[in-house]
Amino acid sequence: MAAGNEWLHGYLEAILDVGSKTSKKQEGKHRITRFDDKQKKGKLFCPTKYFVEEVVYSFDESDLYKTWTKVIATRNTRDRNNRLENMCWRIWHLARKKKQIAWDDEQKLTNRRLEREQGRSDASDDLSEGSEGEKEQGDTNISESIKDTPIINSDTQIWPDDEKSRSLYIVLISIHGLVRGENMELGRDSDTGGQVKYVVELARALANTKRVHRVDLLTRQISSSEVDSSYGEPVEMLSCPSDGTGNCGAYIIRIPCGPRDKYVPKESLWPYIPEFVDGAFNHIVNMARALGEEVAGGNPIWPYVIHGHYADAGEVAAHLSGALNVPMVLTGHSLGRNKFEQLLKQGRLSKEDINATYNIIRRIGAEELGLDAAEMVVTSTRQEIDEQWGLYDGFDLKLERKLRVRRQRGVSCLGRSMPRMVVIPPGMDFSNVTIQDPMESDGDLKSLIGPDRVRAQNNRNIPPIWNEIMRFLTNPHKPMILALSRPDPKKNVTTLLKAFGECQALRELANLVLILGNRDDIEEMSTNSSSVLITVLKLLDKYDLYGQVAYPKHHKQSEVHQIYCLAAKTKGVFINPALVEPFGLTLIEAAAYGLPVVATKNGGPVDILKALHNGLLIDPHDHKAIADALLKLVADKNLWMECRKNSLKNIHRFSWTEHCKNYLSHIEHCCNRHPTIRHESVPIPEEPMSDSLKDVENLSLRFSIEGELKFNGELDSAMRQKELIEAITKRMVSSHNNDSAGYYPGRRQGLFVIATDCYNNNGEYTESLQSTIKNVMKTGSALGLGSIGYVFLTGSSLRETMEALKCCQVSIEEFDALVCNSGSELYYPWRDTAGDTDYESHIEYRWPGENVRSMVTRLAKLEGGNEDDITEHVGIWSSRCCSYNVKSTAKDCTFLMRILM
């Protein structure tokens, strides 16, 4: 034979070697066992012998002879070798089909028994009152009993489906990245990834849930020429309102924040957070009033919950939650402390370099703030609670459990509060998922290779993305190892490529397909993305992987499901080797198409694989472990089919319908811990139109004018008309010339806050108080008459404050607001000195007054002092401001101490 037929030589030698050592009666399962034994003994695995073994024991001599006849019909030596390899791969696929039929018969009774046993045994897991983080994590091996698998009960109606009170308004916030409803540019950069898809689909799903009236997804408006013009549109509709239901649907609301003509990465957005808070606040207030006028008879419909996604949006949600007195929910997606540890573990960057690159310290601070303000934290897995949120100062699993138990028993928590951690896995939209029988003919795939390949590429029935992937591969029939992510260092694609390049057995057994976002020119991409792609190209060349690895430049979001279908057709495997994966939505997507998975053991995949039983976990830092796991799933056809069947059987547990029901039920439970929202619009008193038309001829009413009177006290008709015109004209001229005409309390251009308490030794106000107030008001008047308002802030009570201002000969009406009792009370003199109930409910939230009162007398008393050294001054005591008489032993005098509790 010619020297070029080395591949054929290998097959002939394999036939002789295998034929002399094995028996035709051996089953495929036993041969896989022998393969595993050889691996354990340290012997090299030969894919050629493995495939020949399949051929020898699956077909008789006539089948082999027909194959050989087709091969020798090819004249060109190189084409002959390629055709031989492709033909043998096709024979191998047929062999797998034949063995699968027998395997299905053996497993039929077992599967039926397992399905009956599964039932609803664990349906109560998701409805338990205990924190999700307290539940034990089980082994993630796919052979684990299904009864130990945590599931999401899809049958239990935990959120009512009735139409009553369908007026919930929900606000979601996701600031960074490029957010739009259609043609999402996932993978375009490190900020536009799975979180964008998650929040968009969550908004749509919530809008389609019973009793939800409107959902707003707030994000940053970007008018830069660097991105598509759609990201500059202020409003985008995500879902149309349902006919006859009266709901408004879901919308993306883009709020200006930061430079208008520049796309800012998330690491640089922090200085613009206050601007976003102001814009979001104005939108929510206006929308609440508009919704109230539409469906609530004029009463504002305030948000049912404000949900921040990621650290930046969590900080925004914390500020809005406090200002609006609305419950806050936080989803971290990716946590700063955990990322910090992983980057340090890699050893490539120092602490200073990490902070300079990722602004990690600022991000961690925002996460602590969000954690402190949140009523509830939504996580995707229990591992996220224990190993990620457990790193933060604002959360302790054991303490959270104790606080929850104390609240349930009605025992004081002594001012301590922690958010409740709940596990609600993300959902998936199954509308585009089409499952094909794994045993059906792969005619589409066959048409893409061989002599009909060119004609197939012109076939409109073949997805274009298939042609784009196939053009990279010498032998497209091999199982496809699919990795789909953005080109980000933490996605760890380079370690995957190293694992594939250094494992010769895996290279001969499978192809590798890398879907790494979209790119035109690597040099124009961000530093992180370009460095990853350049490293990928270098590794391809280093290991000479041309023809074995596909890395297309472009793909559409609508083509992702076709990529999964192609991987499933080739009996391939999906892999997510990320250093840390908060959840792993791509794992759910791959499972929906029946693909077994290999995933990182750090993060959400732990719980996903425990629920689905469809793959293996690996250490993302160990490239040999990655190669071994991939080789095991691709080579063992029985294991591959078992994982596929488990995926399709259990995937219903991850749906948006179930996610929303769990989500709203948990929020409803948390709302009981939050004060009732007391926001009310203060209507401007107006005279009813019917009353204003009464006695219309008595135009002299409300006007102080002088004129000729008739005997009945009325003005002459001509005089009345003349004086009326003069009065109106005078009023218009006065309004035009007076700068203060458009300013009044609540509508000022600026505020001067006078924070002072001027006492003498007897506790009486001094003359300096009067001079201080007069000087500040004089300065404010010079800046603009009426445009500046004044707020008086004091530690005194309202009664004491009014007496002090009276003594200083200062009218209380000159102030827009009075803040008394050390900031615990807010009054408006222009509203008859009425207290602000909104402010009261705002500071009432998590108010630790009870604990402060019990601790003050113990902590403030001097060591060795008498019991009467500190006593309560009940006369000026208020609900949230304690007053104490403190006796000084050194000077034998008594002074007043006030504490804002």
Side-chain angles (χ1 to χ4, degrees):
M1 291 186 179
N5 287 335
E6 295 179 359
W7 200 88
L8 185 58
H9 275 300
Y11 261 89
L12 293 176
E13 292 175 359
I15 291 174
L16 295 176
D17 181 66
V18 175
S20 62
K21 296 181 180 180
T22 57
S23 171
K24 294 184 179 181
K25 296 182 180 181
Q26 288 179 301
E27 296 295 334
K29 177 174 64 176
H30 298 153
R31 291 199 301 277
I32 297 300
T33 303
R34 187 175 64 255
F35 155 67
D36 290 336
D37 294 340
K38 289 182 180 180
Q39 289 291 89
K40 294 179 180 179
K41 293 179 182 179
K43 296 183 179 181
L44 295 176
F45 168 65
C46 179
T48 305
K49 293 183 180 181
Y50 173 66
F51 297 140
V52 170
E53 196 174 62
E54 291 290 338
V55 173
V56 169
Y57 293 109
S58 301
F59 301 93
D60 55 24
E61 293 182 0
S62 60
D63 295 326
L64 293 175
Y65 179 75
K66 292 178 181 179
T67 301
W68 175 252
T69 303
K70 294 180 180 179
V71 171
I72 61 175
T74 306
R75 296 181 179 180
N76 185 279
T77 303
R78 181 175 180 180
D79 292 342
R80 184 183 307 165
N81 289 337
N82 291 337
R83 186 178 179 91
L84 176 61
E85 181 179 4
N86 290 332
M87 290 294 256
C88 289
W89 272 99
R90 292 171 64 181
I91 293 174
W92 183 52
H93 283 303
L94 293 174
R96 296 178 73 172
K97 177 179 178 180
K98 180 179 179 181
K99 298 297 178 60
Q100 184 59 41
I101 295 175
W103 185 81
D104 285 342
D105 292 338
E106 295 175 0
Q107 296 294 323
K108 185 178 297 183
L109 295 177
T110 303
N111 289 339
R112 288 180 179 177
R113 186 182 71 255
L114 290 176
E115 291 175 358
R116 287 195 301 267
E117 291 176 356
Q118 180 180 355
R120 300 178 181 177
S121 60
D122 296 325
S124 60
D125 285 355
D126 296 298
L127 301 178
S128 64
E129 291 299 323
S131 175
E132 300 290 351
E134 301 164 25
K135 302 175 185 178
E136 297 182 357
Q137 297 183 15
D139 185 14
T140 56
N141 192 296
I142 60 172
S143 61
E144 179 181 327
S145 174
I146 295 180
K147 67 180 181 179
D148 295 329
T149 303
I151 67 171
I152 301 172
N153 183 18
S154 59
D155 298 325
T156 305
Q157 299 295 329
I158 58 178
W159 180 253
D161 285 335
D162 55 50
E163 294 289 339
K164 297 179 180 180
S165 302
R166 188 184 175 91
S167 58
L168 301 184
Y169 173 36
I170 296 176
V171 176
L172 309 178
I173 307 175
S174 181
I175 300 179
H176 65 261
L178 301 173
V179 183
R180 66 182 180 187
E182 302 297 334
N183 299 321
M184 289 178 279
E185 300 182 76
L186 303 183
R188 183 184 188 275
D189 53 44
S190 59
D191 292 356
T192 310
Q195 178 181 331
V196 172
K197 183 177 181 181
Y198 175 92
V199 294
V200 169
E201 292 189 353
L202 174 61
R204 286 196 178 112
L206 285 172
N208 293 327
T209 304
K210 303 295 184 181
R211 298 174 58 189
V212 175
H213 185 68
R214 179 185 173 103
V215 179
D216 281 347
L217 171 56
L218 309 186
T219 189
R220 177 173 176 259
Q221 185 181 33
I222 306 172
S223 303
S224 171
S225 58
E226 304 173 16
V227 301
D228 190 79
S229 59
S230 60
Y231 300 111
E233 295 294 329
V235 180
E236 177 184 347
M237 178 181 287
L238 285 178
S239 63
C240 298
S242 302
D243 295 336
T245 60
N247 68 324
C248 294
Y251 299 84
I252 296 177
I253 307 297
R254 298 186 176 91
I255 296 174
C257 170
R260 301 293 187 269
D261 57 347
K262 184 179 180 181
Y263 176 51
V264 182
K266 62 177 178 291
E267 291 81 8
S268 303
L269 274 177
W270 299 109
Y272 313 115
I273 293 296
E275 182 182 359
F276 190 93
V277 172
D278 292 341
F281 180 86
N282 291 333
H283 167 77
I284 293 174
V285 170
N286 293 333
M287 183 54 62
R289 290 171 177 168
L291 293 176
E293 294 176 358
E294 179 184 351
V295 297
N299 295 322
I301 298 181
W302 299 100
Y304 187 62
V305 67
I306 296 178
H307 190 163
H309 294 267
Y310 197 77
D312 47 13
E315 181 171 325
V316 173
H319 291 302
L320 293 175
S321 173
L324 296 170
N325 195 32
V326 172
M328 173 195 165
V329 174
L330 176 65
T331 297
H333 290 278
S334 174
L335 300 183
R337 288 193 185 275
N338 192 53
K339 181 175 182 178
F340 193 36
E341 288 190 353
Q342 293 294 328
L343 292 173
L344 288 176
K345 185 177 181 180
Q346 285 182 317
R348 300 173 185 173
L349 299 173
S350 64
K351 293 182 179 180
E352 293 73 17
D353 293 336
I354 293 174
N355 189 48
T357 304
Y358 300 101
N359 213 343
I360 203 77
I361 301 302
R362 179 66 175 84
R363 172 180 170 182
I364 292 173
E367 289 167 341
E368 291 282 10
L369 174 63
L371 192 61
D372 182 64
E375 286 275 347
M376 182 176 78
V377 175
V378 176
T379 67
S380 301
T381 63
R382 285 186 290 275
Q383 186 267 356
E384 183 180 347
I385 300 175
D386 297 334
E387 301 181 16
Q388 297 185 44
W389 283 115
L391 300 174
Y392 286 79
D393 299 333
F395 180 76
D396 180 85
L397 182 60
K398 294 182 180 179
L399 180 58
E400 189 275 335
R401 179 184 180 185
K402 293 179 181 179
L403 293 174
R404 179 167 39 81
V405 172
R406 291 175 72 95
R407 285 192 297 270
Q408 290 175 348
R409 295 178 179 178
V411 181
S412 172
C413 294
L414 303 178
R416 295 300 303 270
S417 178
M418 282 187 181
R420 185 179 183 219
M421 297 278 175
V422 297
V423 177
I424 311 178
M428 180 181 173
D429 183 8
F430 296 103
S431 59
N432 294 326
V433 177
T434 55
I435 305 300
Q436 296 182 349
D437 187 348
M439 297 296 104
E440 71 179 2
S441 175
D442 57 343
D444 293 340
L445 190 60
K446 292 178 182 179
S447 65
L448 288 176
I449 63 172
D452 296 332
R453 185 167 184 170
V454 175
R455 183 173 60 187
Q457 291 177 351
N458 297 326
N459 188 347
R460 296 182 179 179
N461 296 327
I462 302 299
I465 190 63
W466 287 19
N467 293 324
E468 181 65 18
I469 293 175
M470 290 295 185
R471 71 183 181 88
F472 288 89
L473 306 175
T474 302
N475 184 0
H477 267 306
K478 292 182 181 180
M480 175 192 297
I481 298 173
L482 173 62
L484 191 152
S485 69
R486 61 181 185 271
D488 189 280
K490 66 183 181 182
K491 296 303 180 181
N492 203 31
V493 179
T494 54
T495 304
L496 168 63
L497 200 56
K498 182 179 180 182
F500 184 78
E502 294 185 1
C503 182
Q504 187 62 33
L506 188 60
R507 292 173 58 175
E508 296 185 18
L509 193 62
N511 293 318
L512 178 62
V513 177
L514 303 176
I515 307 297
L516 303 177
N518 292 278
R519 63 186 184 276
D520 291 318
D521 188 347
I522 294 179
E523 294 182 353
E524 296 179 357
M525 302 181 71
S526 64
T527 303
N528 287 337
S529 298
S530 61
S531 63
V532 170
L533 290 171
I534 291 173
T535 304
V536 167
L537 296 177
K538 289 181 178 179
L539 291 174
L540 285 171
D541 190 73
K542 175 182 177 180
Y543 295 112
D544 193 18
L545 298 177
Y546 301 104
Q548 298 174 327
V549 178
Y551 43 98
K553 295 182 66 174
H554 297 281
H555 73 280
K556 299 178 182 178
Q557 180 63 25
S558 58
E559 294 176 328
V560 171
H561 74 282
Q562 297 170 347
I563 299 175
Y564 287 124
C565 286
L566 178 60
K569 275 182 172 291
T570 62
K571 313 297 188 296
V573 176
F574 181 82
I575 180 169
N576 183 338
L579 299 176
V580 178
E581 185 58 67
F583 179 68
L585 191 58
T586 53
L587 297 176
I588 302 299
E589 293 175 348
Y593 292 89
L595 277 173
V597 301
V598 173
T600 176
K601 66 177 183 180
N602 299 327
V606 175
D607 284 359
I608 292 177
L609 266 66
K610 186 177 180 181
L612 296 180
H613 293 276
N614 70 328
L616 303 171
L617 296 173
I618 48 91
D619 180 358
H621 300 281
D622 188 350
H623 67 277
K624 292 184 179 179
I626 295 175
D628 291 342
L630 291 171
L631 188 61
K632 183 176 182 180
L633 278 176
V634 174
D636 190 338
K637 57 183 176 294
N638 291 339
L639 179 61
W640 186 94
M641 185 55 65
E642 179 184 356
C643 291
R644 174 184 173 85
K645 296 186 72 173
N646 288 339
S647 295
L648 300 178
K649 181 173 62 177
N650 300 322
I651 193 61
H652 70 277
R653 300 169 182 174
F654 298 91
S655 69
W656 278 120
T657 301
E658 299 304 321
H659 178 96
C660 291
K661 288 181 180 180
N662 280 277
Y663 176 83
L664 292 173
S665 296
H666 283 300
I667 292 175
E668 187 176 39
H669 174 75
C670 290
C671 284
N672 295 329
R673 296 167 47 193
H674 199 282
T676 304
I677 298 175
R678 303 173 183 173
H679 295 287
E680 296 179 358
S681 294
V682 180
I684 300 176
E686 295 182 356
E687 186 180 14
M689 182 64 68
S690 58
D691 295 336
S692 65
L693 295 178
K694 291 180 180 180
D695 300 327
V696 67
E697 298 204 1
N698 188 9
L699 297 178
S700 63
L701 190 64
R702 299 182 186 273
F703 286 93
S704 298
I705 55 177
E706 296 180 358
E708 182 180 354
L709 296 175
K710 292 188 176 182
F711 69 94
N712 59 357
E714 294 184 358
L715 290 173
D716 181 77
S717 175
M719 181 62 68
R720 281 188 306 167
Q721 184 177 3
K722 177 181 177 181
E723 295 296 339
L724 177 60
I725 294 175
E726 290 178 356
I728 295 176
T729 304
K730 183 178 178 180
R731 177 67 177 173
M732 293 178 61
V733 172
S734 175
S735 299
H736 183 267
N737 295 330
N738 191 355
D739 292 336
S740 64
Y743 302 118
Y744 52 89
R747 292 293 185 272
R748 307 286 192 187
Q749 284 189 330
L751 286 175
F752 278 9
V753 179
I754 305 174
T756 181
D757 278 312
C758 301
Y759 302 99
N760 57 23
N761 293 334
N762 296 325
E764 300 173 349
Y765 284 96
T766 64
E767 295 180 358
S768 59
L769 176 62
Q770 180 180 7
S771 61
T772 300
I773 295 175
K774 292 293 185 181
N775 290 335
V776 172
M777 289 186 171
K778 183 178 179 180
T779 303
S781 299
L783 296 177
L785 184 62
S787 63
I788 301 298
Y790 304 97
V791 176
F792 188 61
L793 192 153
T794 176
S796 304
S797 65
L798 176 63
R799 179 181 58 81
E800 293 173 327
T801 302
M802 295 178 69
E803 292 177 355
L805 293 177
K806 184 178 181 180
C807 295
C808 296
Q809 298 180 354
V810 177
S811 174
I812 192 175
E813 284 78 13
E814 295 188 33
F815 294 97
D816 287 5
L818 300 176
V819 183
C820 303
N821 276 330
S822 301
S824 63
E825 299 172 2
L826 179 61
Y827 299 96
Y828 300 107
W830 53 281
R831 288 187 184 175
D832 299 327
T833 320
D836 191 329
T837 56
D838 288 342
Y839 181 76
E840 181 182 354
S841 63
H842 169 68
I843 61 176
E844 182 183 0
Y845 176 56
R846 293 181 179 175
W847 193 258
E850 178 184 350
N851 187 38
V852 172
R853 184 175 183 179
S854 64
M855 295 294 293
V856 164
T857 53
R858 287 189 294 164
L859 298 177
K861 187 175 67 174
L862 297 177
E863 185 177 356
N866 299 323
E867 292 293 333
D868 60 348
D869 286 348
I870 177 170
T871 57
E872 295 181 357
H873 193 95
V874 182
I876 51 177
W877 191 287
S878 69
S879 60
R880 277 171 287 279
C881 184
C882 298
S883 301
Y884 296 90
N885 291 319
V886 181
K887 183 179 181 181
S888 174
T889 57
K891 297 182 179 181
D892 196 23
C893 63
T894 302
F895 61 91
L896 180 65
M897 177 180 69
R898 288 190 174 180
I899 299 178
L900 176 63
M901 294 202 308

